[in-house]
Amino acid sequence: MGKKRKMPGLNTSSTADISFMLLIFFLVTTSMDTDAGLSRTLPKPPEEDQLNNEIKVKVRNILNIRINKDNYLMIGNDYVALEDVKPRAKEFIQNPENRPDLPELKEHDCKLLGKRMVTENHVISVQTDRGTSYGVYFQVQDQLVAAYNELRDELSKQEFGVNHYDQLSKEQQEAIREVYPQKISEAEPKQYGKAL
Amino acid sequence: MSRFNKNGGREMPELNTSSLPDLIFSVLFFFMMVTSMREVTLMVKFDRPAGTQLEKLARKSCTSFIYVGKPTEQYRSQFGEGTRIQINDKYAEVNEIYDFIMSDRAEMPESDKPFYTVSIKADHQTPMGIITDVKQVMRKAYALKMVYSATKRQDNN
């Protein structure tokens, strides 16, 4: 047939503008803040028939941290400051001198690390009053996690020559977790000093 | 002298902008990916506690948020000064959290359900009683993974 007609090029100069508008829309709506926090696992809800036979834990295996409505801290029977929580918790978790008032050491066959004495039954329990402020509670939790992290870092340096627990391989992390399992109880609080 | 004085001799060649849309499209797609459209308008004011040992939230898509704090200025006359709980776009009572968790988790694909987490974004002055009540409801709803949301504090003490 006749001459071949050339398709005229589509004018695409406005595509940039359109996509700019979309881009700006998404820029504005995006929230880039990554959420961070302390993660915890709550215990399962109590079953009906289970209410009466609570799990018995030996007294020496519990570290009771109590916070009253005026935000005073108590560990065991002494009033302490927030800075004392971490060293006390570290001592409690580790029980380096095998003291009878700290959690019992049991021989545990750990992966990679062989047989070790571990305070595997220890529990740290934080009890609060209804009037305790959340900020203080959070600081205590943070200090407890810090205690665990420091112990784990120390052990990973000692055993694997790596300064930080996070930098170890999965298997090594597991081994260290067996020595220092994180046991912070999220049990329900008792109301022992009513807020006014 | 005339070599510096060319009038209208050469014109600046026009810049080729044909790849500009492609460039912008790729940036656009990036932002489309990272955007989460489920943002809620905050009706409570909360100043989260600061911590040093924080972990990043792994999967934002599997997380429900519960906000706890005092009502913001515009709602204060209506709802008072007391600490309130906000879920989605409204104030809620503690027992409503149960339904909220159940419906939120039901919408999730089956593969994500084991990773379902509840993040509590609470003001640091909130009395623990409220937080405890929320936690008890979460236990009842079997939402056992939780995060105490916080901001990062730089110093190491």
Side-chain angles (χ1 to χ4, degrees):
Chain A
M1 304 290 252
K3 262 197 263 165
K4 250 193 196 162
R5 258 202 281 170
K6 235 190 184 175
M7 177 82 166
L10 212 61
N11 187 359
T12 54
S13 56
S14 57
T15 335
D17 301 351
I18 295 168
S19 37
F20 251 129
M21 284 209 314
L22 282 170
L23 173 63
I24 288 162
F25 169 71
F26 278 100
L27 260 170
V28 172
T29 54
T30 299
S31 63
M32 291 287 263
D33 68 320
T34 45
D35 200 31
L38 294 179
S39 54
R40 282 280 176 283
T41 310
L42 298 173
K44 289 202 176 80
E47 314 260 324
E48 296 291 309
D49 53 336
Q50 206 195 313
L51 277 171
N52 291 320
N53 44 20
E54 286 173 7
I55 310 152
K56 290 268 190 312
V57 185
K58 277 189 195 163
V59 179
R60 64 182 284 196
N61 284 337
I62 313 178
L63 183 70
N64 267 315
I65 302 179
R66 276 174 277 199
I67 318 169
N68 76 356
K69 69 173 169 55
D70 299 318
N71 299 330
Y72 287 117
L73 279 170
M74 251 179 126
I75 295 181
N77 292 319
D78 352 306
Y79 283 100
V80 293
L82 185 63
E83 296 80 57
D84 301 330
V85 173
K86 192 162 72 177
R88 283 290 290 266
K90 277 175 80 171
E91 191 189 16
F92 174 80
I93 298 160
Q94 220 175 0
N95 192 4
E97 291 147 21
N98 201 359
R99 271 167 47 191
D101 55 332
L102 293 178
E104 50 193 339
L105 290 163
K106 280 199 174 158
E107 199 176 62
H108 184 85
D109 198 5
C110 303
K111 256 200 233 164
L112 299 173
L113 301 171
K115 290 205 167 130
R116 274 174 170 275
M117 300 303 274
V118 177
T119 59
E120 56 182 359
N121 291 326
H122 77 266
V123 175
I124 298 179
S125 135
V126 184
Q127 286 187 355
T128 58
D129 186 84
R130 287 194 71 85
T132 308
S133 86
Y134 172 66
V136 176
Y137 174 75
F138 184 86
Q139 295 307 330
V140 171
Q141 295 279 355
D142 192 54
Q143 289 298 310
L144 292 177
V145 178
Y148 278 107
N149 284 349
E150 272 182 25
L151 285 172
R152 286 174 177 180
D153 280 355
E154 278 166 25
L155 190 69
S156 60
K157 190 171 186 187
Q158 194 186 327
E159 295 292 333
F160 304 112
V162 180
N163 277 339
H164 289 290
Y165 164 76
D166 311 341
Q167 293 159 0
L168 295 174
S169 70
K170 273 247 166 70
E171 247 185 347
Q172 290 170 327
Q173 286 193 0
E174 222 169 87
I176 284 181
R177 271 209 303 275
E178 274 184 43
V179 181
Y180 295 128
Q182 187 169 314
K183 288 187 174 175
I184 304 173
S185 155
E186 287 278 351
E188 20 205 309
K190 291 195 181 92
Q191 188 163 5
Y192 54 83
K194 229 176 182 175
L196 291 170
Chain B
M1 280 306 179
S2 62
R3 77 167 19 176
F4 298 109
N5 236 346
K6 274 179 198 155
N7 259 350
R10 258 195 287 174
E11 254 173 48
M12 176 84 165
E14 217 170 292
L15 209 62
N16 187 358
T17 54
S18 60
S19 58
L20 186 64
D22 301 354
L23 266 172
I24 296 176
F25 260 123
S26 52
V27 183
L28 171 66
F29 283 135
F30 168 73
F31 277 101
M32 278 176 76
M33 298 276 217
V34 297
T35 301
S36 60
M37 294 290 262
R38 289 209 310 170
E39 273 303 307
V40 292
T41 48
L42 288 174
M43 294 160 76
V44 291
K45 212 169 85 186
F46 56 87
D47 188 7
R48 291 178 293 167
T52 52
Q53 310 293 323
L54 310 181
E55 297 161 48
K56 282 236 172 80
L57 197 64
R59 295 156 178 261
K60 210 173 178 181
S61 58
C62 311
T63 308
S64 303
F65 294 95
I66 295 174
Y67 308 91
V68 185
K70 299 209 161 91
T72 47
E73 302 269 332
Q74 61 197 107
Y75 297 104
R76 212 163 279 170
S77 55
Q78 203 180 341
F79 293 98
E81 297 270 324
T83 301
R84 303 293 297 235
I85 301 166
Q86 186 196 348
I87 48 183
N88 289 338
D89 271 324
K90 59 182 196 311
Y91 292 123
E93 294 302 320
V94 174
N95 49 11
E96 289 171 56
I97 293 172
Y98 185 85
D99 294 331
F100 162 70
I101 288 172
M102 283 306 179
S103 63
D104 238 26
R105 196 165 39 188
E107 281 169 18
M108 230 170 252
E110 202 62 47
S111 58
D112 282 352
K113 278 182 188 169
F115 304 105
Y116 183 73
T117 312
V118 175
S119 171
I120 296 184
K121 295 191 169 195
D123 190 87
H124 66 280
Q125 285 177 332
T126 311
M128 272 310 286
I130 293 174
I131 308 281
T132 311
D133 291 345
V134 171
K135 269 160 55 179
Q136 293 302 325
V137 175
M138 280 163 54
R139 279 176 70 185
K140 231 179 269 168
Y142 272 88
L144 301 179
K145 283 166 112 89
M146 62 160 301
V147 173
Y148 296 114
S149 179
T151 52
K152 188 130 189 90
R153 190 175 50 209
Q154 286 307 323
D155 63 67
N156 240 348
N157 294 310

